[in-house]
Amino acid sequence: MRMFQATGFVAAIVLCVTATASAEMASGPQVGETVGAYTVTKVTGNPDDGVADGKTLCYRCKMGQRPVVMVFARTADAKLAKLLEKIDEELVEHSDDKLTAFVNMIGPDAESLKKTATDFVAEHGIKRVAFVVPEESENGPPDFKIAPEADVTVICYKGGTVKANHALVKDALCCETIDAIVEDSSKLVEAD
C-alpha cells in the first residue's frame, strides 16, 4: 500500500513539473534583446500616465528608459486580474523607482478587444496599469514574435532591454507563475 502511495505521489510531482515546463514557451523578445517601438491605441487604465484614452502612440516609447512590465494577453479573466493585482502592488511599492506596467490586449478583432479591456478594468478596479491595443492586434507587432499559442506573454524590461520573459499557454497562469513574474518585476528596480 505504501509503495502505491509513494508511486502516486511521485507521479503527481512529475505531472506537475511536466505541466509547468510545457506551459512556458518562447514568445516575444527574449532576455538580452531590445524591445522595439510599435503603435498602439490606449484604451483605458492608468489615468496618471499623461496619455488620454483613445490616443494612438508608441506606448513603449512613452515609457522611455523606465523599468516596465509589459503584458500581451489574449484572455481577460480572473487569473489575469490576480496577476495585475500583484503587479499593481509592486507599482505602489516601487513608485519612487518609476516602475510601470501596461497590458496589450491581442486577438483578431481590435474593436472587441477595446470593449473587453474597458469592461475588465471597470470590473476589477485596475488603477495603475494602462490597457492598450496594438495596431497589429491579432498577435502584436510582427517583430515581437508573440507565439499564437501563448495566452499570456509577460516581458519585464529596463532601458529597453529584456530582463525576463514569461510566456504561458491558456490556463497556465497560476500562483507559482504569478509569483515568478512578480519577483522578476521587482528585480527591475534593483541597481544594475
Side-chain angles (χ1 to χ4, degrees):
M1 180 71 169
R2 286 187 178 206
M3 183 156 180
F4 178 72
Q5 288 174 332
T7 304
F9 180 71
V10 170
I13 290 174
V14 169
L15 182 61
C16 181
V17 170
T18 303
T20 302
S22 66
E24 295 225 20
M25 69 195 75
S27 178
Q30 300 298 300
V31 174
E33 294 179 352
T34 301
V35 177
Y38 65 102
T39 304
V40 300
T41 299
K42 181 181 177 193
V43 179
T44 190
N46 194 358
D48 299 327
D49 66 359
V51 179
D53 293 353
K55 182 172 180 163
T56 299
L57 73 156
C58 172
Y59 205 86
R60 183 269 178 252
C61 302
K62 171 88 173 146
M63 298 301 101
Q65 299 299 305
R66 295 172 70 169
V68 179
V69 179
M70 178 173 60
V71 179
F72 287 85
R74 296 180 193 281
T75 307
D77 59 11
K79 293 176 184 181
L80 180 64
K82 182 69 174 170
L83 170 64
L84 297 178
E85 176 185 311
K86 296 288 190 179
I87 289 174
D88 191 64
E89 291 171 8
E90 290 295 308
L91 298 179
V92 171
E93 184 177 338
H94 300 292
S95 62
D96 290 346
D97 300 304
K98 300 187 189 294
L99 179 65
T100 191
F102 67 104
V103 175
N104 296 266
M105 291 303 300
I106 56 175
D109 181 6
E111 290 310 310
S112 69
L113 293 170
K114 291 174 185 177
K115 180 175 180 353
T116 297
T118 301
D119 293 347
F120 182 78
V121 168
E123 178 183 347
H124 296 284
I126 296 168
K127 302 273 189 247
R128 294 171 191 85
V129 178
F131 275 68
V132 302
V133 173
E135 194 171 69
E136 298 91 354
S137 68
E138 186 150 5
N139 290 307
D143 292 350
F144 277 44
K145 299 178 181 151
I146 302 296
E149 62 275 14
D151 192 55
V152 177
T153 301
V154 182
I155 301 159
C156 299
Y157 69 90
K158 182 177 181 180
T161 302
V162 178
K163 304 297 183 184
N165 177 304
H166 298 268
L168 305 162
V169 297
K170 183 126 176 89
D171 297 324
L173 192 59
C174 62
C175 292
E176 292 81 16
T177 54
I178 288 172
D179 288 347
I181 292 166
V182 170
E183 182 178 337
D184 284 339
S185 71
S186 68
K187 289 178 184 174
L188 289 172
V189 299
E190 295 174 359
D192 292 325

mmCIF file of all heavy atoms in Angstrom, residues 27-29 35-40 58 60 70-72 74 102 104-106 132-147 155:
data_model
loop_
_atom_site.group_PDB
_atom_site.id
_atom_site.type_symbol
_atom_site.label_atom_id
_atom_site.label_comp_id
_atom_site.label_asym_id
_atom_site.label_seq_id
_atom_site.Cartn_x
_atom_site.Cartn_y
_atom_site.Cartn_z
ATOM 1 N N SER A 27 8.098 33.271 -26.607
ATOM 2 C CA SER A 27 7.125 34.208 -27.159
ATOM 3 C C SER A 27 7.583 35.607 -26.810
ATOM 4 O O SER A 27 7.865 35.899 -25.649
ATOM 5 C CB SER A 27 5.735 33.949 -26.574
ATOM 6 O OG SER A 27 4.797 34.888 -27.078
ATOM 7 N N GLY A 28 7.694 36.462 -27.796
ATOM 8 C CA GLY A 28 8.110 37.831 -27.546
ATOM 9 C C GLY A 28 9.617 37.961 -27.466
ATOM 10 O O GLY A 28 10.349 36.968 -27.521
ATOM 11 N N PRO A 29 10.100 39.198 -27.332
ATOM 12 C CA PRO A 29 11.542 39.414 -27.192
ATOM 13 C C PRO A 29 12.088 38.647 -25.993
ATOM 14 O O PRO A 29 11.467 38.605 -24.934
ATOM 15 C CB PRO A 29 11.654 40.928 -26.974
ATOM 16 C CG PRO A 29 10.380 41.503 -27.509
ATOM 17 C CD PRO A 29 9.336 40.445 -27.299
ATOM 18 N N VAL A 35 13.526 45.814 -26.799
ATOM 19 C CA VAL A 35 12.097 45.968 -27.041
ATOM 20 C C VAL A 35 11.935 47.138 -28.011
ATOM 21 O O VAL A 35 12.263 48.278 -27.679
ATOM 22 C CB VAL A 35 11.330 46.254 -25.732
ATOM 23 C CG1 VAL A 35 9.859 46.481 -26.013
ATOM 24 C CG2 VAL A 35 11.522 45.116 -24.751
ATOM 25 N N GLY A 36 11.455 46.842 -29.213
ATOM 26 C CA GLY A 36 11.318 47.856 -30.241
ATOM 27 C C GLY A 36 10.059 48.699 -30.106
ATOM 28 O O GLY A 36 9.171 48.415 -29.299
ATOM 29 N N ALA A 37 10.008 49.722 -30.919
ATOM 30 C CA ALA A 37 8.855 50.626 -30.945
ATOM 31 C C ALA A 37 7.716 49.996 -31.742
ATOM 32 O O ALA A 37 7.955 49.247 -32.692
ATOM 33 C CB ALA A 37 9.263 51.948 -31.590
ATOM 34 N N TYR A 38 6.479 50.310 -31.349
ATOM 35 C CA TYR A 38 5.299 49.873 -32.097
ATOM 36 C C TYR A 38 4.124 50.754 -31.702
ATOM 37 O O TYR A 38 4.128 51.388 -30.653
ATOM 38 C CB TYR A 38 5.001 48.383 -31.867
ATOM 39 C CG TYR A 38 4.626 48.010 -30.461
ATOM 40 C CD1 TYR A 38 3.295 47.784 -30.104
ATOM 41 C CD2 TYR A 38 5.596 47.871 -29.466
ATOM 42 C CE1 TYR A 38 2.940 47.427 -28.804
ATOM 43 C CE2 TYR A 38 5.247 47.517 -28.173
ATOM 44 C CZ TYR A 38 3.929 47.305 -27.852
ATOM 45 O OH TYR A 38 3.580 46.964 -26.575
ATOM 46 N N THR A 39 3.125 50.792 -32.548
ATOM 47 C CA THR A 39 1.992 51.697 -32.359
ATOM 48 C C THR A 39 0.820 50.982 -31.702
ATOM 49 O O THR A 39 0.472 49.862 -32.083
ATOM 50 C CB THR A 39 1.548 52.275 -33.719
ATOM 51 O OG1 THR A 39 2.678 52.907 -34.328
ATOM 52 C CG2 THR A 39 0.440 53.289 -33.554
ATOM 53 N N VAL A 40 0.217 51.674 -30.730
ATOM 54 C CA VAL A 40 -0.949 51.145 -30.016
ATOM 55 C C VAL A 40 -1.983 52.261 -29.876
ATOM 56 O O VAL A 40 -1.685 53.440 -30.079
ATOM 57 C CB VAL A 40 -0.580 50.646 -28.594
ATOM 58 C CG1 VAL A 40 0.455 49.546 -28.654
ATOM 59 C CG2 VAL A 40 -0.123 51.781 -27.704
ATOM 60 N N CYS A 58 3.206 55.405 -29.575
ATOM 61 C CA CYS A 58 4.115 54.320 -29.204
ATOM 62 C C CYS A 58 4.208 54.359 -27.687
ATOM 63 O O CYS A 58 4.925 55.184 -27.126
ATOM 64 C CB CYS A 58 5.489 54.500 -29.846
ATOM 65 S SG CYS A 58 6.710 53.296 -29.233
ATOM 66 N N ARG A 60 5.420 52.099 -25.693
ATOM 67 C CA ARG A 60 6.755 51.659 -25.288
ATOM 68 C C ARG A 60 7.711 52.850 -25.311
ATOM 69 O O ARG A 60 8.510 53.035 -24.406
ATOM 70 C CB ARG A 60 7.235 50.532 -26.216
ATOM 71 C CG ARG A 60 8.600 49.958 -25.832
ATOM 72 C CD ARG A 60 9.694 50.735 -26.575
ATOM 73 N NE ARG A 60 11.011 50.306 -26.239
ATOM 74 C CZ ARG A 60 11.858 51.010 -25.495
ATOM 75 N NH1 ARG A 60 11.519 52.139 -24.941
ATOM 76 N NH2 ARG A 60 13.078 50.585 -25.289
ATOM 77 N N MET A 70 5.520 44.629 -19.292
ATOM 78 C CA MET A 70 4.674 44.697 -20.478
ATOM 79 C C MET A 70 4.020 43.331 -20.680
ATOM 80 O O MET A 70 4.702 42.315 -20.791
ATOM 81 C CB MET A 70 5.519 45.066 -21.700
ATOM 82 C CG MET A 70 4.758 45.122 -23.002
ATOM 83 S SD MET A 70 5.764 45.765 -24.381
ATOM 84 C CE MET A 70 7.108 44.580 -24.444
ATOM 85 N N VAL A 71 2.693 43.344 -20.729
ATOM 86 C CA VAL A 71 1.931 42.101 -20.841
ATOM 87 C C VAL A 71 1.212 42.070 -22.183
ATOM 88 O O VAL A 71 0.626 43.072 -22.598
ATOM 89 C CB VAL A 71 0.890 42.004 -19.698
ATOM 90 C CG1 VAL A 71 0.058 40.726 -19.821
ATOM 91 C CG2 VAL A 71 1.558 42.104 -18.335
ATOM 92 N N PHE A 72 1.244 40.921 -22.850
ATOM 93 C CA PHE A 72 0.409 40.658 -24.015
ATOM 94 C C PHE A 72 -0.575 39.581 -23.581
ATOM 95 O O PHE A 72 -0.158 38.494 -23.170
ATOM 96 C CB PHE A 72 1.239 40.158 -25.206
ATOM 97 C CG PHE A 72 2.054 41.245 -25.848
ATOM 98 C CD1 PHE A 72 3.306 41.570 -25.354
ATOM 99 C CD2 PHE A 72 1.555 41.961 -26.926
ATOM 100 C CE1 PHE A 72 4.058 42.577 -25.929
ATOM 101 C CE2 PHE A 72 2.299 42.970 -27.512
ATOM 102 C CZ PHE A 72 3.549 43.290 -27.010
ATOM 103 N N ARG A 74 -4.349 37.481 -24.376
ATOM 104 C CA ARG A 74 -5.456 37.136 -25.268
ATOM 105 C C ARG A 74 -6.763 36.971 -24.486
ATOM 106 O O ARG A 74 -7.833 37.072 -25.059
ATOM 107 C CB ARG A 74 -5.150 35.834 -26.013
ATOM 108 C CG ARG A 74 -3.963 35.939 -26.932
ATOM 109 C CD ARG A 74 -3.698 34.629 -27.664
ATOM 110 N NE ARG A 74 -2.397 34.667 -28.291
ATOM 111 C CZ ARG A 74 -2.128 35.289 -29.429
ATOM 112 N NH1 ARG A 74 -3.075 35.914 -30.089
ATOM 113 N NH2 ARG A 74 -0.903 35.280 -29.921
ATOM 114 N N PHE A 102 1.971 47.974 -18.470
ATOM 115 C CA PHE A 102 0.831 48.098 -19.375
ATOM 116 C C PHE A 102 0.522 46.767 -20.018
ATOM 117 O O PHE A 102 1.383 45.893 -20.139
ATOM 118 C CB PHE A 102 1.023 49.211 -20.408
ATOM 119 C CG PHE A 102 2.099 49.005 -21.442
ATOM 120 C CD1 PHE A 102 1.767 48.645 -22.740
ATOM 121 C CD2 PHE A 102 3.433 49.232 -21.147
ATOM 122 C CE1 PHE A 102 2.741 48.495 -23.722
ATOM 123 C CE2 PHE A 102 4.414 49.090 -22.112
ATOM 124 C CZ PHE A 102 4.068 48.717 -23.401
ATOM 125 N N ASN A 104 -1.173 44.816 -23.298
ATOM 126 C CA ASN A 104 -1.581 44.804 -24.704
ATOM 127 C C ASN A 104 -2.618 43.712 -24.866
ATOM 128 O O ASN A 104 -2.292 42.533 -24.703
ATOM 129 C CB ASN A 104 -0.395 44.465 -25.615
ATOM 130 C CG ASN A 104 0.709 45.480 -25.575
ATOM 131 O OD1 ASN A 104 0.749 46.387 -26.386
ATOM 132 N ND2 ASN A 104 1.629 45.341 -24.619
ATOM 133 N N MET A 105 -3.849 44.074 -25.162
ATOM 134 C CA MET A 105 -4.860 43.057 -25.460
ATOM 135 C C MET A 105 -4.691 42.681 -26.923
ATOM 136 O O MET A 105 -4.638 43.568 -27.789
ATOM 137 C CB MET A 105 -6.264 43.592 -25.207
ATOM 138 C CG MET A 105 -6.596 43.838 -23.746
ATOM 139 S SD MET A 105 -6.427 42.398 -22.656
ATOM 140 C CE MET A 105 -7.589 41.246 -23.400
ATOM 141 N N ILE A 106 -4.558 41.390 -27.203
ATOM 142 C CA ILE A 106 -4.355 40.947 -28.579
ATOM 143 C C ILE A 106 -5.398 39.910 -28.968
ATOM 144 O O ILE A 106 -5.896 39.165 -28.136
ATOM 145 C CB ILE A 106 -2.921 40.412 -28.819
ATOM 146 C CG1 ILE A 106 -2.566 39.284 -27.848
ATOM 147 C CG2 ILE A 106 -1.907 41.546 -28.723
ATOM 148 C CD1 ILE A 106 -1.209 38.648 -28.112
ATOM 149 N N VAL A 132 -3.812 48.793 -23.622
ATOM 150 C CA VAL A 132 -3.682 49.266 -24.994
ATOM 151 C C VAL A 132 -4.037 48.134 -25.951
ATOM 152 O O VAL A 132 -4.048 46.962 -25.564
ATOM 153 C CB VAL A 132 -2.246 49.778 -25.282
ATOM 154 C CG1 VAL A 132 -1.855 50.892 -24.328
ATOM 155 C CG2 VAL A 132 -1.220 48.645 -25.229
ATOM 156 N N VAL A 133 -4.300 48.503 -27.201
ATOM 157 C CA VAL A 133 -4.486 47.519 -28.264
ATOM 158 C C VAL A 133 -3.491 47.879 -29.365
ATOM 159 O O VAL A 133 -3.513 49.000 -29.888
ATOM 160 C CB VAL A 133 -5.932 47.524 -28.810
ATOM 161 C CG1 VAL A 133 -6.046 46.609 -30.032
ATOM 162 C CG2 VAL A 133 -6.915 47.076 -27.728
ATOM 163 N N PRO A 134 -2.570 46.956 -29.703
ATOM 164 C CA PRO A 134 -1.590 47.224 -30.745
ATOM 165 C C PRO A 134 -2.250 47.403 -32.117
ATOM 166 O O PRO A 134 -3.311 46.830 -32.388
ATOM 167 C CB PRO A 134 -0.692 45.985 -30.755
ATOM 168 C CG PRO A 134 -0.974 45.273 -29.475
ATOM 169 C CD PRO A 134 -2.369 45.635 -29.100
ATOM 170 N N GLU A 135 -1.602 48.176 -32.959
ATOM 171 C CA GLU A 135 -2.076 48.366 -34.334
ATOM 172 C C GLU A 135 -2.218 47.015 -35.028
ATOM 173 O O GLU A 135 -3.179 46.779 -35.747
ATOM 174 C CB GLU A 135 -1.068 49.257 -35.079
ATOM 175 C CG GLU A 135 -1.552 49.802 -36.372
ATOM 176 C CD GLU A 135 -0.564 50.840 -36.905
ATOM 177 O OE1 GLU A 135 0.565 50.456 -37.304
ATOM 178 O OE2 GLU A 135 -0.921 52.023 -36.902
ATOM 179 N N GLU A 136 -1.246 46.144 -34.833
ATOM 180 C CA GLU A 136 -1.322 44.764 -35.330
ATOM 181 C C GLU A 136 -1.912 43.939 -34.188
ATOM 182 O O GLU A 136 -1.188 43.312 -33.420
ATOM 183 C CB GLU A 136 0.055 44.215 -35.715
ATOM 184 C CG GLU A 136 0.734 44.964 -36.840
ATOM 185 C CD GLU A 136 1.619 46.111 -36.343
ATOM 186 O OE1 GLU A 136 1.615 46.405 -35.131
ATOM 187 O OE2 GLU A 136 2.297 46.728 -37.163
ATOM 188 N N SER A 137 -3.234 43.942 -34.097
ATOM 189 C CA SER A 137 -3.884 43.426 -32.890
ATOM 190 C C SER A 137 -3.907 41.900 -32.764
ATOM 191 O O SER A 137 -3.985 41.386 -31.657
ATOM 192 C CB SER A 137 -5.317 43.960 -32.789
ATOM 193 O OG SER A 137 -6.126 43.427 -33.812
ATOM 194 N N GLU A 138 -3.831 41.181 -33.865
ATOM 195 C CA GLU A 138 -4.006 39.723 -33.752
ATOM 196 C C GLU A 138 -2.934 39.056 -32.905
ATOM 197 O O GLU A 138 -3.222 38.288 -32.005
ATOM 198 C CB GLU A 138 -4.080 39.055 -35.121
ATOM 199 C CG GLU A 138 -4.407 37.588 -34.965
ATOM 200 C CD GLU A 138 -5.174 37.015 -36.127
ATOM 201 O OE1 GLU A 138 -5.397 37.708 -37.125
ATOM 202 O OE2 GLU A 138 -5.561 35.855 -36.013
ATOM 203 N N ASN A 139 -1.661 39.322 -33.206
ATOM 204 C CA ASN A 139 -0.554 38.730 -32.449
ATOM 205 C C ASN A 139 0.452 39.769 -31.984
ATOM 206 O O ASN A 139 1.582 39.419 -31.646
ATOM 207 C CB ASN A 139 0.165 37.665 -33.285
ATOM 208 C CG ASN A 139 -0.674 36.431 -33.485
ATOM 209 O OD1 ASN A 139 -1.169 35.842 -32.528
ATOM 210 N ND2 ASN A 139 -0.874 36.045 -34.730
ATOM 211 N N GLY A 140 0.067 41.030 -31.981
ATOM 212 C CA GLY A 140 1.007 42.077 -31.602
ATOM 213 C C GLY A 140 1.952 42.389 -32.749
ATOM 214 O O GLY A 140 1.812 41.849 -33.849
ATOM 215 N N PRO A 141 2.925 43.259 -32.501
ATOM 216 C CA PRO A 141 3.858 43.641 -33.573
ATOM 217 C C PRO A 141 4.597 42.425 -34.132
ATOM 218 O O PRO A 141 5.095 41.608 -33.351
ATOM 219 C CB PRO A 141 4.830 44.602 -32.893
ATOM 220 C CG PRO A 141 4.365 44.772 -31.500
ATOM 221 C CD PRO A 141 3.238 43.863 -31.228
ATOM 222 N N PRO A 142 4.688 42.289 -35.449
ATOM 223 C CA PRO A 142 5.339 41.111 -36.045
ATOM 224 C C PRO A 142 6.769 40.881 -35.547
ATOM 225 O O PRO A 142 7.167 39.732 -35.325
ATOM 226 C CB PRO A 142 5.327 41.407 -37.550
ATOM 227 C CG PRO A 142 4.198 42.360 -37.740
ATOM 228 C CD PRO A 142 4.126 43.180 -36.480
ATOM 229 N N ASP A 143 7.532 41.956 -35.338
ATOM 230 C CA ASP A 143 8.919 41.809 -34.872
ATOM 231 C C ASP A 143 9.012 41.205 -33.475
ATOM 232 O O ASP A 143 10.047 40.683 -33.093
ATOM 233 C CB ASP A 143 9.632 43.167 -34.860
ATOM 234 C CG ASP A 143 9.853 43.721 -36.258
ATOM 235 O OD1 ASP A 143 9.641 42.982 -37.234
ATOM 236 O OD2 ASP A 143 10.238 44.898 -36.372
ATOM 237 N N PHE A 144 7.923 41.268 -32.720
ATOM 238 C CA PHE A 144 7.933 40.748 -31.357
ATOM 239 C C PHE A 144 7.780 39.229 -31.326
ATOM 240 O O PHE A 144 8.105 38.595 -30.327
ATOM 241 C CB PHE A 144 6.821 41.390 -30.521
ATOM 242 C CG PHE A 144 7.188 42.721 -29.961
ATOM 243 C CD1 PHE A 144 7.831 43.685 -30.720
ATOM 244 C CD2 PHE A 144 6.863 43.031 -28.659
ATOM 245 C CE1 PHE A 144 8.163 44.920 -30.197
ATOM 246 C CE2 PHE A 144 7.185 44.261 -28.122
ATOM 247 C CZ PHE A 144 7.836 45.209 -28.886
ATOM 248 N N LYS A 145 7.245 38.657 -32.378
ATOM 249 C CA LYS A 145 7.079 37.201 -32.474
ATOM 250 C C LYS A 145 6.331 36.628 -31.271
ATOM 251 O O LYS A 145 6.777 35.666 -30.634
ATOM 252 C CB LYS A 145 8.430 36.514 -32.666
ATOM 253 C CG LYS A 145 9.128 36.936 -33.939
ATOM 254 C CD LYS A 145 10.467 36.284 -34.096
ATOM 255 C CE LYS A 145 11.094 36.789 -35.372
ATOM 256 N NZ LYS A 145 12.531 36.818 -35.348
ATOM 257 N N ILE A 146 5.169 37.221 -30.958
ATOM 258 C CA ILE A 146 4.324 36.687 -29.898
ATOM 259 C C ILE A 146 3.728 35.375 -30.421
ATOM 260 O O ILE A 146 3.092 35.346 -31.471
ATOM 261 C CB ILE A 146 3.193 37.668 -29.515
ATOM 262 C CG1 ILE A 146 3.776 39.019 -29.064
ATOM 263 C CG2 ILE A 146 2.291 37.065 -28.448
ATOM 264 C CD1 ILE A 146 4.606 38.990 -27.817
ATOM 265 N N ALA A 147 3.965 34.295 -29.715
ATOM 266 C CA ALA A 147 3.506 32.975 -30.155
ATOM 267 C C ALA A 147 1.981 32.917 -30.170
ATOM 268 O O ALA A 147 1.342 33.320 -29.197
ATOM 269 C CB ALA A 147 4.053 31.896 -29.233
ATOM 270 N N ILE A 155 6.741 40.498 -20.470
ATOM 271 C CA ILE A 155 8.109 40.901 -20.760
ATOM 272 C C ILE A 155 8.490 41.990 -19.764
ATOM 273 O O ILE A 155 7.877 43.057 -19.742
ATOM 274 C CB ILE A 155 8.228 41.405 -22.214
ATOM 275 C CG1 ILE A 155 7.798 40.294 -23.172
ATOM 276 C CG2 ILE A 155 9.645 41.876 -22.504
ATOM 277 C CD1 ILE A 155 7.397 40.763 -24.539
#
